[in-house]
Every structure is written in structure tokens, then in C-alpha cells.
Amino acid sequence: MKTIKSILMTGVAALLAMTSCDSPIYPGGDNGNTDAKEGQGSVSFAQMSLSVKNSDIVIESRAAATDVNSFTVNIKSANGRGSNQSFIYGEMPELVALEVGDYTVEAYNAEEQVAAFDAPYFYGTSNTFTVVPNDIVVVDPIVCKLSNVKVSVAYSDELRSRMSDVTVTVTVADNETLEYAGTETRAGFFKYVEGNKTIAATFNGKVDGFEVSDYKVITDAVAPGYHHTITFALKDAPTPPDVFGGIGTTGLSMDATVERVDLNGDVTLNGGEEEIIEPDPAKEYLTVGVGALSFGCDAASQGVTVKASHEWTVESNASWCTVAKTDGGFTVNVAANSDANSGREATITVTMNKLTSTVTVSQDKYTEAPQGPTFASDYIDLWSGAYNDPTEFGPDKKPAVVNISAPKGIKKLHVTISSETLSDMLPGVGLATNFDLATGRSDDGADLTNGLVGLGFPVASGGTADINGTPTPYGPVLNETSVVFDITSFMELLVLPGPGKSDFIVTVTDNDGNVAEATIRYEVK
């Protein structure tokens, strides 16, 4: 490892350290300390320099490193017999008079915080030294090290492309907590507690529109002066909702790994030359973002990240599964599987020198697309069980729209409104708590066509209704293969009464007797 050393002021320090009574620099034998009194000595800081140990990457330029001129320097009595003094490093004098006694000097960049973003705490201290009457003590250079715990949160490329509304809560030492938004790029810094060895990370958010919560405790990982990068990746691929809106039993789960890097690069910050740390060729590494990928029967692609210390190659052992290198990884491309009898597997091998890593790729057998009714929405959460916020929806906001598909044609489109606040208001707008859009009637047989059309719904076979003297056309539902279920106009009604929960339970029956159900949940808080 090559290090470019700064040239210290050894000549000046040598002169300051002269203690002869005949010294030409300090005539009269008082060593030049005009403030010195009986029972006092002096400390020279002319030779004391501050440097910082902090290396996040293997090769790093130090030209724009931390400015130590703003560091606080404290002179502290070691046995209570002397006096304490404090300075800003860039403004401190070269010679300080002190009462005789034992001392240490500490330096730090800021007051340490319990947990905060972009708040590294660098701390260093000198050895104990003794001040004696009419003498000068020279303080040696002090090295300040990162003394708190640095934590970053990252995501695999696959997960990042499929997640939304993500928050990761990181807890160190039980009560030191920071919340990392999914877009957060800053590192968090946590106060180190002696004996603590764990980092807890809780992932909350949506993946492919499904609510996911995953909790990981990483043991034996905490150490001061280390940068801990927690990377979340998908462990199991999501199973799409079935025709009844249910999520498959595999569901979604995460892998969380932690990479620890010792921030051990020296940075001289007293006006010395730039220091460059070269990589250690003995420390080779190869990290592939996932160990397995799962695909449906259709053709698809998926990205995989690779971190490696040297050039690497990637290849697949199957012609239906091809790979292509990208910046930071590679893309896996699978062809459609036309075999209705069995799925298939392939192995992708990543190689760097003597290191290898494999990714198992599996693809489902061919199956026909579901022919029963299905539901889809760009903005409404239909499947997680969470309640949507109605204040986010409206004519000038997000549309509260669900697209209903029924390839065999709709026979019945039944709606149940279960609401803590709307039930008493529905008769006033010409509706009931239970009705069928395929007929335009409530469950007790009342004709609700005008009320439904007035709120913008399609009804029965379509037609024109007289709404307050205005002929208003409306679309059909019966035997249609696709219908837009739009309740945007309900949003103001939901908010008006105040806090409460409202469920719109939509059940579709097609002409072959297939049934599917979805619940649209809203809550006014």
C-alpha cells in the first residue's frame, strides 16, 4: 500500500522543545512563555496535526476530504490538578500555558448525535502527557477516527424496479432509530453502544402493488468505524392474484444482507499532500444480487446486479434462457414456454478468476390465461387489505377507477356498500346498500337506474335516463366483457361526514358461472 506522507514541522518543533536557560529564542530562561507563572509550563501545538481515518471505497481521492480546521480541540486535565481549555483547531495558538499536571488532548468534528443522517462523528485523543514548571511539552499528531456506526440501505435492481411507497426503519441498540425512504441515498449515523451487536431493519411498502412487510435482524454486525450497507432483495417472486383476487401462497418475502467495510484510510488534513490508497489485490470479491429467479410461462426479462473486484463473465446453460451484460450486472431473458406438461430450469454462472456464483432460473409450464372475471386498478389498492385515503382521489386528483374484465360476458355485477358514514346518506342520492348494476335494481327490487346514472355508472343494457330534466346516456353492463367501475364521484361524499371506514364489495358473475370478488376500501381519518 502506497502512502504519500505530509512533511511535518520537525525543525520548528525541535527549536520549541529546547529548554536551555541560555536559549537564544527564550532569553531570560523562561522558554519564551511570557504568560508562564510559577507552577506553570507550556504545551506546543506547532507539531500537532489532525488526520482523519475514513475510506468508503478502495481507491479514493482525498483532495476534498473533511476540513479539520473547524474541529474542536479540548485540553483536559487527567487528574483534576490542572485546568481545562478548549479551542477551534484552525484558530488555536501554537503555544499554550498550563498549570503543572497530567493532560490529554481530544479532538472531534461535532457533538455526537444518537441517530441522524449525514452526521459522522470523528474523534481522536492523544496519549497522556505531563506539564512541568518552566518547560515545553510537544503534542504529537492526533488521528480522528469515525466513532459511530454508519448504515446505508440499498435494494437490488429487481426489487427497486417493482417497489413503491417504501420505508425501511433501521434500529441500532434498541432505541436508536432512523427511517429510510425508498429514495433515500444518504447514510445514517448511529451512536455506538458498547456490547451491542445487532442491527434491525424493517421493510414496509408495496411490491408489484402488494403490501409487503418484512423484518430482519442482522446479528454480530455492529462495530464503530464501519460502514454497514443493508441490501434488500426479493427472495420469492410474487404469485399473481387468482380469479378471486387472492394472492398465492408463496407471496412475497425478502432477503436482507449486510456488507461491512472498515473505514481505515488515512487522510492528512493539515495542509499536507493528497494520499491515495491502492486496492489490495488479495481481497477479491464477487457478489450476485439473487440466487434464484422465477418466471411465468410467458416471455419475460429481469435484471440482476453484480459487484466484483475484477472483470467477470456470465453464461447460461440453456438456449431458452439468454443473458446480456449491462452496467452493474446482467439481464436474463426467457422465451415463452409452450410445454403444457412441465416447467423448466436453467443455470446461469457468473465467473471472476477462481470465484463463481450461480443463479437458478425456473419457468412455469404453459397454462391458459384465466377466463373468469378479473379486477385491475392503477391507483386503488385492491388486494392488501389496507384502506385507501379518499382525500387523494377526486375529479382533479387520482381517479377512483377499477377496470373489470369478464371474457365470457357479465351476468351479474353486484355491489354492497358497507360504510360507517355513508349508509344513512345513500337513499338521499337514490341508492341502496345492495344493488346489481347488471339490472339497475336493489336487492329488494327497487329501480335505482336514475340514481346510478346520476353518479356516472353504467347500468343494465345501457340507454338514456332523464336526470333532472336532462336526457343522459349511459353505458351497458349486461353481457359486456369489460366495464369501468368508477366511484370517483363518491369521494366527496366519503369525506363530508368525517372519520370512518367504507367498503365497496364488488362481486362479478359471468355467463359461465365464474365468480370473482374485490373489495375497495376507503378510510377518512
Side-chain angles (χ1 to χ4, degrees):
M1 183 180 289
K2 247 192 293 187
T3 303
I4 304 175
K5 301 290 185 182
S6 62
I7 301 174
L8 298 177
M9 301 166 64
T10 52
V12 174
L15 291 173
L16 290 172
M18 294 175 64
T19 58
S20 168
C21 294
D22 297 325
S23 168
I25 299 177
Y26 306 130
D30 62 358
N31 293 329
N33 182 9
T34 56
D35 293 329
K37 303 175 183 179
E38 185 176 353
Q40 285 189 332
S42 298
V43 179
S44 169
F45 292 93
Q47 186 171 322
M48 189 196 83
S49 63
L50 294 185
S51 63
V52 173
K53 284 192 173 183
N54 180 37
S55 172
D56 271 349
I57 53 179
V58 177
I59 302 177
E60 184 179 19
S61 172
R62 306 305 182 184
T66 305
D67 181 9
V68 297
N69 284 330
S70 62
F71 276 40
T72 297
V73 177
N74 293 328
I75 307 171
K76 302 174 66 176
S77 172
N79 53 17
R81 295 174 54 192
S83 57
N84 299 330
Q85 297 195 42
S86 183
F87 303 91
I88 300 301
Y89 178 67
E91 302 171 359
M92 68 183 301
E94 291 185 352
L95 200 65
V96 175
L98 293 173
E99 297 177 8
V100 296
D102 296 330
Y103 292 84
T104 58
V105 176
E106 66 175 10
Y108 51 87
N109 64 316
E111 293 297 328
E112 186 177 18
Q113 300 187 54
V114 172
F117 289 107
D118 286 346
Y121 175 64
F122 297 104
Y123 179 86
T125 186
S126 71
N127 294 324
T128 301
F129 57 88
T130 301
V131 174
V132 297
N134 301 317
D135 203 352
I136 295 176
V137 178
V138 177
V139 178
D140 292 326
I142 294 176
V143 176
C144 294
K145 300 179 181 180
L146 182 67
S147 298
N148 50 3
V149 179
K150 183 176 182 180
V151 179
S152 295
V153 174
Y155 311 89
S156 69
D157 288 348
E158 176 199 6
L159 175 57
R160 184 178 291 280
S161 66
R162 298 161 69 172
M163 71 185 197
S164 60
D165 300 329
V166 167
T167 299
V168 173
T169 302
V170 175
T171 302
V172 177
D174 295 332
N175 60 353
E176 302 173 18
T177 299
L178 284 177
E179 289 192 351
Y180 294 68
T183 56
E184 183 62 73
T185 59
R186 296 174 298 171
F189 292 83
F190 299 80
K191 185 175 182 178
Y192 176 66
V193 176
E194 187 69 28
N196 177 61
K197 295 295 182 183
T198 61
I199 298 175
T202 304
F203 178 104
N204 284 295
K206 295 180 182 179
V207 179
D208 291 343
F210 305 123
E211 290 288 341
V212 177
S213 181
D214 207 61
Y215 177 77
K216 299 294 181 184
V217 176
I218 304 161
T219 59
D220 296 324
V222 179
Y226 276 75
H227 185 182
H228 307 72
T229 301
I230 303 170
T231 301
F232 283 90
L234 280 176
K235 182 178 181 181
D236 294 326
T239 302
D242 58 24
V243 295
F244 298 102
I247 301 173
T249 55
T250 302
L252 286 161
S253 62
M254 300 286 173
D255 264 344
T257 58
V258 62
E259 178 186 7
R260 300 172 65 207
V261 178
D262 188 4
L263 307 184
N264 59 357
D266 289 347
V267 189
T268 300
L269 299 169
N270 62 336
E273 299 180 67
E274 178 180 302
E275 176 188 291
I276 298 176
I277 299 176
E278 295 182 344
D280 185 349
K283 296 181 180 179
E284 295 189 349
Y285 60 88
L286 174 65
T287 304
V288 179
V290 295
L293 294 175
S294 299
F295 293 91
C297 63
D298 297 329
S301 299
Q302 197 159 308
V304 178
T305 59
V306 175
K307 295 181 180 180
S309 56
H310 297 83
E311 186 63 28
W312 51 275
T313 60
V314 59
E315 61 180 2
S316 169
N317 68 346
S319 59
W320 58 269
C321 175
T322 60
V323 291
K325 289 187 72 172
T326 61
D327 290 339
F330 59 91
T331 299
V332 180
N333 303 293
V334 298
N337 187 6
S338 59
D339 188 347
N341 295 316
S342 62
R344 53 189 178 182
E345 285 194 354
T347 300
I348 296 171
T349 303
V350 182
T351 304
M352 186 203 74
N353 296 338
K354 296 181 179 180
L355 300 179
T356 61
S357 182
T358 60
V359 179
T360 301
V361 179
S362 59
Q363 187 178 31
D364 295 339
K365 66 181 181 180
Y366 172 76
T367 54
E368 292 187 8
Q371 296 300 305
T374 58
F375 301 86
S377 179
D378 291 333
Y379 299 103
I380 301 173
D381 180 357
L382 295 173
W383 310 118
S384 71
Y387 278 84
N388 298 274
D389 182 356
T391 62
E392 298 178 358
F393 297 81
D396 298 322
K397 302 176 184 177
K398 295 188 294 187
V401 172
V402 176
N403 296 306
I404 300 172
S405 175
K408 302 299 183 180
I410 295 175
K411 181 179 180 180
K412 187 176 183 179
L413 202 167
H414 188 270
V415 179
T416 296
I417 302 176
S418 175
S419 174
E420 298 172 351
T421 56
L422 282 182
S423 298
D424 294 337
M425 299 175 61
L426 293 176
V429 294
L431 292 186
T433 56
N434 294 277
F435 56 88
D436 182 4
L437 284 174
T439 63
R441 295 184 177 275
S442 66
D443 285 4
D444 60 10
D447 187 353
L448 306 178
T449 300
N450 280 10
L452 293 168
V453 173
L455 289 169
F457 286 108
V459 181
S461 298
T464 301
D466 185 351
I467 308 299
N468 297 324
T470 301
T472 304
Y474 58 93
V477 173
L478 189 64
N479 296 320
E480 293 296 304
T481 58
S482 63
V483 167
V484 175
F485 184 76
D486 187 347
I487 57 172
T488 305
S489 58
F490 268 90
M491 296 301 102
E492 291 183 2
L493 291 176
L494 283 174
V495 175
L496 190 61
K501 295 179 179 179
S502 298
D503 293 351
F504 296 81
I505 305 167
V506 183
T507 306
V508 179
T509 305
D510 69 12
N511 289 322
D512 279 358
N514 298 307
V515 180
E517 183 178 285
T519 300
I520 307 169
R521 297 176 173 87
Y522 283 100
E523 180 179 9
V524 179
K525 297 182 178 180

